[in-house]
Amino acid sequence: MRVAFAADHGGAELKAELLARLADGGHELIDLGGDGSDPADDYPDVTRRLAHAIRDGDADRGILVCGSGIGASVAANKVRGVRAAIAHDTYSARQGVEHDDMNVLCLGGRVIGPEPALECARAFLGARFSGEDRHARRLAKVLAIEAEER
């Protein structure tokens, strides 16, 4: 799986930790920037790069890290085809994929520590959309909303 990573200045440290710790997980990791050196490196900018990588098929999933995870989630969900959510626990990270076909995990670098973040990332990357009728039906409704709003 091709997994894109991006962070603003508030999430750069956690992003770097995740990239290092997930390097041996068998995925192709793509670093789309955000090293923390520029305080004007705002979450909408790095989020756009990652969301477009998902939209354009350059990455299968993404992990965005900003200070709280909230701004990145809001911005990412503005891009067609992106289903992003904050998950600071493994159940939500896994279930978001299994039930809702979430393709972007958002984390708060000022909210979650490196170990729980790593566990969430692994749960997210290890999960697959179930395709069960009820989940497919709900996802189709979400996609219909997206189509209507564009």
Side-chain angles (χ1 to χ4, degrees):
M1 181 184 321
R2 295 165 302 158
V3 185
F5 289 77
D8 70 357
H9 59 278
E13 187 176 330
L14 181 57
K15 180 195 75 147
E17 176 87 14
L18 291 172
L19 278 166
R21 303 274 301 274
L22 292 168
D24 62 353
H27 302 292
E28 178 186 342
L29 307 183
I30 305 163
D31 187 351
L32 296 177
D35 65 4
S37 63
D38 183 1
D41 197 7
D42 294 329
Y43 69 84
D45 304 320
V46 298
T47 297
R48 175 178 283 166
R49 284 194 298 268
L50 187 142
H52 286 181
I54 299 291
R55 180 198 67 194
D56 297 341
D58 297 325
D60 303 303
R61 296 215 188 140
I63 297 179
L64 278 169
V65 190
C66 70
S68 67
I70 295 169
S73 176
V74 169
N77 281 305
K78 299 297 180 188
V79 176
R80 181 186 298 266
V82 172
R83 291 172 300 283
I86 301 167
H88 289 148
D89 63 89
T90 58
Y91 174 79
S92 298
R94 182 183 67 256
Q95 184 269 339
V97 175
E98 292 173 347
H99 293 195
D100 306 305
D101 202 20
M102 177 175 77
N103 53 16
V104 176
L105 172 65
C106 299
L107 298 168
R110 296 178 179 141
V111 177
I112 189 171
E115 291 304 320
L118 180 62
E119 291 175 16
C120 288
R122 286 182 175 148
F124 168 69
L125 296 175
R128 299 290 173 265
F129 181 58
S130 74
E132 292 179 25
D133 288 344
R134 63 189 171 119
H135 301 307
R137 181 182 72 246
R138 293 168 187 157
L139 179 59
K141 290 178 180 183
V142 169
L143 296 175
I145 293 170
E146 182 179 74
E148 289 170 8
E149 293 298 317
R150 302 294 172 168

